[in-house]
Amino acid sequence: MRRATLRTTHGSADAAERVAAALRPDNTDEMTTRVDGDAVVTTVERESTGGLQSTVDDYVVNLRVAAQLAERHDESTKP
């Protein structure tokens, strides 16, 4: 089994929660996502290195979109 853990920070626990919530629906059975303070931590397990790479690549694309949306939300709610 191959495993990768990705940890990204998002400035606040609220932003991390929003990012994690946006990512979870796309998780496969081999993925877990959790929030640790202002960080989103996702672990991916796959049988092959190629499968792991493909899954991580897809995850990073989804993460980028989720983080951009969370950032826009934060900007739109500033006083």
Side-chain angles (χ1 to χ4, degrees), residues 5-73:
T5 300
L6 298 96
R7 180 184 182 90
T8 55
T9 56
H10 300 278
S12 71
D14 288 341
E17 287 287 350
R18 283 192 297 280
V19 170
L23 291 168
R24 283 187 189 109
D26 292 324
N27 283 1
T28 65
D29 291 341
E30 297 90 5
M31 300 171 72
T32 59
T33 297
R34 64 183 174 85
V35 174
D36 181 14
D38 71 342
V40 175
V41 182
T42 298
T43 301
V44 181
E45 293 184 343
R46 294 295 303 267
E47 289 295 326
S48 69
T49 301
L52 180 64
Q53 180 179 356
S54 294
T55 302
V56 169
D57 286 347
D58 289 345
Y59 173 83
V60 169
V61 170
N62 293 340
L63 173 64
R64 185 174 299 158
V65 172
Q68 288 171 346
L69 291 172
E71 185 177 308
R72 285 185 186 158
H73 177 271

